[in-house]
Amino acid sequence: GTADLAIEAANGHPGIHVIGIDFVKEMLAVGRQKIAGRGLFDRIRLVQADAMTLPFPDRSFDAAGIAFGIRNMPDRLQALREMRRVIVPGGQIFVLEMNFPRHRFWQGFFDLYLNRLLPGVARLFSGNPAAYHYLADSILHFHSPQAFLRTMGEAGFRDMERYSLTFGITSLYIGSTAGIEEISRA
């Protein structure tokens, strides 16, 4: 959900200030309502921006994160490079994303859910069932966890880890900018 990651970060770390971005103005309006409802306007600011060209100076943030959005980027490598650019040396990136499970049992269940159940329910309750087909397609065609870790490395992150969540359907990827200062001077 829009602004949920910013809200969780602010709630989990009372001493921080958070800037969240979204490309879509209407999504920001939804996020601002959530932030106001939780009394976090003094700690969270939302900005309309493109993740491919972040409107922040180099080394502006201690950390950057994205939840269920990197698969929608037209150029994932560029989005990761932009996130790396705005993180201080020694900072971290956190990427939460869905992926098609590798275990055969869960593959069958997930395929049935994404390609049969979800579109059927969407036709009944949604004015835009095509969005649910896009969701399924974007998950099915997202990088494998190993390939995404390689992309993070290509973007300049180090000390990368992946944590498999929800039976392998969701992954949390963490990378660091540690050591990047030395590499960029070489």
Side-chain angles (χ1 to χ4, degrees):
T2 299
D4 289 347
L5 185 61
I7 291 166
E8 286 299 317
N11 282 334
H13 304 279
I16 69 169
H17 291 271
V18 181
I19 296 177
I21 70 161
D22 201 306
F23 191 71
V24 180
K25 175 176 57 173
E26 293 81 7
M27 299 302 279
L28 292 169
V30 171
R32 286 186 181 103
Q33 288 177 344
K34 289 180 183 180
I35 291 165
R38 289 164 180 82
L40 292 170
F41 257 129
D42 60 329
R43 297 190 39 231
I44 301 174
R45 181 170 61 117
L46 297 182
V47 175
Q48 185 174 6
D50 185 345
M52 311 303 258
T53 55
L54 294 171
F56 309 110
D58 295 357
R59 301 175 181 171
S60 298
F61 300 97
D62 295 319
I66 184 170
F68 308 116
I70 197 77
R71 74 175 180 274
N72 299 319
M73 298 291 162
D75 185 343
R76 294 178 190 126
L77 179 58
Q78 175 60 27
L80 290 169
R81 284 180 173 151
E82 272 296 282
M83 292 171 80
R84 189 205 67 221
R85 180 185 65 76
V86 300
I87 300 173
V88 299
Q92 289 186 300
I93 182 177
F94 301 89
V95 178
L96 185 63
E97 192 55 79
M98 297 184 77
N99 45 258
F100 197 69
R102 302 296 174 230
H103 189 277
R104 176 168 266 161
F105 172 78
W106 291 113
Q107 283 178 348
F109 173 77
F110 204 56
D111 182 61
L112 175 69
Y113 174 75
L114 282 177
N115 292 309
R116 301 282 191 279
L117 296 176
L118 188 61
V121 171
R123 277 191 293 280
L124 293 173
F125 297 104
S126 173
N128 186 11
Y132 292 89
H133 286 287
Y134 170 78
L135 173 66
D137 190 58
S138 69
I139 293 169
L140 290 169
H141 293 98
F142 186 64
H143 292 310
S144 70
Q146 297 77 16
F148 187 70
L149 286 169
R150 284 192 298 274
T151 302
M152 287 177 64
E154 189 178 343
F157 291 100
R158 304 285 178 263
D159 303 323
M160 296 163 302
E161 299 175 90
R162 172 195 173 242
Y163 297 92
S164 180
L165 308 169
T166 56
F167 306 107
I169 295 169
T170 306
S171 293
L172 174 62
Y173 301 91
I174 302 173
S176 171
T177 58
I180 292 176
E181 190 71 22
E182 294 78 25
I183 292 170
S184 62
R185 284 191 214 151

